[in-house]
Every structure is written in structure tokens, then in C-alpha cells.
Amino acid sequence: QITITYDTVMVAGSVVASIDGRVQPILKSVDVVYHILMDFKKGNYGVDTIRLITPTPIIIKRILRDNVVISPRLLYGLGEVKLVLSDTISTKTEIVIEFSATLYLDEMSFPSEISSSKSKYYNPQRVERNVIGGKDSWTIQTTGFADRLLVDIKIDPNPFTPNGDGKNDETAIKFYISNITTPRTLAVSIFDVTGRKVRDLYRNNVVAGAFVDLSAIRWDGRNDDRSVVRPGLYIIRVDLAADQGGGETVCKTVTVAY
């Protein structure tokens, strides 16, 4: 038996989202302006939380409420950002969210939802969108193409110090995967300077995606025996298989220090 409990009171009477500049270059950091226009009817709860779905990680630069800069509490999660407002919005209002993002697919959508802490239940209301030129108003199309499968690989921090003091105890391997629509094997391995493998760090089937921020692959400085490796220079190898053996391998160096 499944029991569903829900609230029949609406958060807002109407709410619609749209994006300015809905054509952007692929695999470049771009600035995005996201509009949410909301209006209310008598009896609506009002809005105190906005949840933005983020198919690629974003960095919020500024948020405006009717052209006035505001500073809501930002809660970043995997595939989402929540904006917790300092008060409840219950009159016609426009929220503008300015953020930067790197887009890695032909088109990427940023839906959102609103909610109210006044509701007894977590009962979010979906933000609607308009259809413009056959595309949703919260969808960005990309131009150009990526000439590589593994894009913008970075190791951060480098060097790092896995000594258990809580500072730089691990390093993050960050990158984007492009041009892969069916699952392919991604493997990340660690080698010492003699070429000896010390750690099989990651192996999984993946498609195009962003391995950055919370999705980055992390190394804690330990080998396959779970012992901390000696200080020195190590090689991180990222291998991505593709059709007809046309995969790609990228190697980066990282320094372990104490």
C-alpha cells in the first residue's frame, strides 16, 4: 500500500521561468540570466524557497528581486541549488538569477520549482515555462563542437597533503566529457614515476557529463592497499573508451607532499 499525502493550497497563482540568450557556445564558461516571474492569488502560501535544477554545475554571481540585489542563503547540492529567502514573497515579483555555467550538450534545460515553509508538507510547485521557437524558455542550445572527448582536465589542489590534518587531504580530478551519448567506460588510475600502478581510482560506464565540483573524482593519496603513498610526483591517467576503439587518454601530474 502506498499513501500519498499532499497539500491542495498553491504556493503561487502563477510562476514562469525564462532565460536570456538561449544560444551559447559549447564547453565554454558562459553567463546566464534566469528570470522567474511570479504572481499570487488570495490564499496562496507565498514563496520562501526556490530550487533550481542544474544539469551542469553553476556559480551564482548575483540575485535580484525586482531589480534590487538580495542575498538569500544558497544551498548547493548535486544537480541543484536552493535559494532560501529571508522573507516570504506574496505579491507579484520578478526574481533574476545571474550565474555562470559550462554547457556540454547540444541543449541543456534548467527547470525550477518553488515552495513554502508554511505548508505542513514539502509540496513544491513546478515553475512553468513558455515555448519559444519550439524550445522551452528555460532551455539553452549550444553552438560549435568539441574536438576532444575529455575536456579541461584540472587537478586541484596540486600539490596536496594527505596527512590527516583536514587541510588539502585529497585532490579533485575535474573535467568534462563531450560527444558521448551511449555509455562508455571511463577509468582513472594513479601511477608513480616508474610507471607502476598504485591505485585503480575509478571505473564506470558514463555518458557526456560534468565531473566537476561535487561530481569530481577525488584521490585521498592512498594506494590500492589503502596505505598513504610516499611523498613525490604521481601521474593521473584518465582513459575514456569510444566507438571503434577511438577513445582518448589524458595524463596529468600531481605532487603528494607532507
Side-chain angles (χ1 to χ4, degrees), residues 27 57 59 102 149-158 168 170-177 186 188 201 209-219 236 238 250 252 254:
L27 288 167
I59 299 174
T102 299
L149 301 177
L150 297 168
V151 180
D152 198 22
I153 296 184
K154 297 177 180 177
I155 312 298
D156 182 47
N158 187 10
N168 295 332
E170 61 181 18
T171 191
I173 304 154
K174 308 174 183 179
F175 55 95
Y176 294 87
I177 296 177
L186 172 69
V188 180
L201 188 62
F211 286 78
V212 297
D213 295 343
L214 295 176
S215 296
I217 297 171
R218 300 179 184 276
W219 183 36
I236 297 176
V238 183
V250 175
K252 294 282 186 177
V254 64

Side-chain angles (χ1 to χ4, degrees), residues 2 11 15 18 27 58 66 74 86 90 92 126-128 153 161 173 184 197 205 207 217 235-236:
I2 298 176
V11 179
V15 55
S18 62
L27 288 167
I58 70 171
D66 292 333
L74 301 179
S86 60
S90 57
K92 187 175 182 179
R126 183 180 65 179
V127 175
E128 301 297 330
I153 296 184
T161 55
I173 304 154
R184 296 288 183 265
K197 184 186 290 188
N205 290 331
V207 293
I217 297 171
I235 299 165
I236 297 176

